[in-house]
Amino acid sequence: MTPKAANLGDARPKADWIRHRERGSTALLRIMAFVSLHLGRTASRIPLYGIAIYFFLFAPSARRHSRRYLRLALGRRPGARDRFRQVLSFATTIHDRVYLMNEQFAIFNITLQGENLLLAHRDSGRGALLMGAHMGSFEVMHSLGRRRGGLEVAMAMYEENARKINATLAAINPHLKSDIVSLGRIDAMLNIAERLRQGAFVGVLGDRTLGREPVQAVTLLGERAYLPTGPMRAAAILRCPVFFMAGLYRGRNNYHVVFEPVADFSSTPAAARNIAVHAAIERYAAVLDQYCRSDPHNWFNFYDFWRTPVGVLRA
């Protein structure tokens, strides 16, 4: 069945995740960075268990949505150990940003899947979009450009999130140069197009809506979900390839970074754009489904992701 686009309209002015933002502060990040860099990763991980226990016990909404997601991803009723492991994985990826942003890559065992595809595309001189999700480590993927010479990776995100990331960078490593494209501005598409023209990879996240944008109904983990069409439509307008990306945390100091081809709009004519975008979003959802099942504790959308939007208008 062909997926249908939808517009959320005014009935749902803000998406659920905006009303349930992840907690944190710049001061806390500075303290965490200082302690982590001076004590080392092993010793500074000890407080993570206390933090994870606190949120496991005193975040009932997140706990409820985590239980539903894990039931779908695991194919069984999740136990307390499953739910705690998901929270601890989330805390770990945040903690590890300190080391990744300070370029201490040697303390991690990072494996790569699909690297040859990415490097071959880089050698062609063309840029591409790397479309990820709120899954695994954002920073372990972003650090790829700093670890691999000649591989330029920028991140595109909405302006408020860009400000938060820049504040995080300043707190953890004030000397680190950020390469972030702010979305929602008039010149955003021009900036992305220029980076692509220069052969850079631009990372975007394709799993959350802001609440007032077209969405497409897909099947994810056996249930109906709604994904924004904007990121994939932008790729089609920019006539560039799209790769799925994820930095999966696999326990201890192990990360597995994956890249998989999703679509290539380089030669897609305007008349076929809508069909191509629909197919690409279906492909993105299928790959996301695959890694939710293989690495279920890496899902960090702690809200009702499968909630049917109110007032959806189907095209």
Side-chain angles (χ1 to χ4, degrees), residues 208-228:
R208 290 184 182 179
T209 73
L210 293 176
R212 292 193 182 199
E213 60 185 303
V215 295
Q216 179 173 314
V218 299
T219 298
L220 185 63
L221 297 178
E223 294 198 5
R224 178 65 58 89
Y226 294 86
L227 298 178

Side-chain angles (χ1 to χ4, degrees), residues 49-250:
Y49 288 85
I51 295 170
I53 290 172
Y54 173 83
F55 283 102
F56 178 78
L57 294 175
F58 300 108
S61 177
R63 185 168 63 245
R64 181 172 64 255
H65 301 316
S66 170
R67 185 183 293 113
R68 181 185 182 188
Y69 158 74
L70 287 171
R71 177 175 53 80
L72 296 175
L74 296 171
R76 59 173 172 80
R77 181 177 180 179
R81 183 176 180 179
D82 295 306
R83 292 183 283 112
F84 180 75
R85 182 177 172 185
Q86 184 186 15
V87 174
L88 183 61
S89 294
F90 181 47
T92 298
T93 61
I94 294 175
H95 176 238
D96 285 343
R97 287 180 187 175
V98 173
Y99 304 102
L100 292 165
M101 288 181 179
N102 282 278
E103 301 188 352
Q104 296 187 15
F105 308 124
I107 67 175
F108 298 104
N109 175 34
I110 302 175
T111 56
L112 296 172
Q113 175 183 325
E115 180 186 19
N116 291 339
L117 290 173
L118 212 63
L119 294 179
H121 188 77
R122 179 202 64 183
D123 293 341
S124 73
R126 297 186 303 153
L129 285 190
L130 303 178
M131 191 168 295
H134 290 78
M135 182 178 196
S137 172
F138 164 87
E139 189 55 37
V140 75
M141 191 290 310
H142 194 199
S143 69
L144 182 66
R146 299 195 295 274
R147 289 186 289 118
R148 299 282 178 176
L151 188 64
E152 184 181 348
V153 180
M155 296 301 298
M157 58 188 66
Y158 286 96
E159 197 161 6
E160 183 177 349
N161 286 340
R163 285 196 298 269
K164 289 172 64 179
I165 291 295
N166 282 327
T168 300
L169 289 172
I172 293 177
N173 184 349
H175 305 294
L176 186 64
K177 177 183 177 294
S178 66
D179 191 1
I180 296 175
V181 180
S182 294
L183 299 177
R185 299 174 57 173
I186 296 176
D187 61 347
M189 287 288 281
L190 292 176
N191 290 336
I192 294 175
E194 177 61 19
R195 282 170 167 78
L196 294 173
R197 187 188 66 79
Q198 296 171 353
F201 292 90
V202 179
V204 295
L205 299 177
D207 60 329
R208 290 184 182 179
T209 73
L210 293 176
R212 292 193 182 199
E213 60 185 303
V215 295
Q216 179 173 314
V218 299
T219 298
L220 185 63
L221 297 178
E223 294 198 5
R224 178 65 58 89
Y226 294 86
L227 298 178
T229 61
M232 202 69 75
R233 190 166 296 279
I237 293 172
L238 293 167
R239 302 175 69 86
C240 68
V242 179
F243 294 86
F244 175 85
M245 66 173 183
L248 304 168
Y249 176 63
R250 290 187 167 174

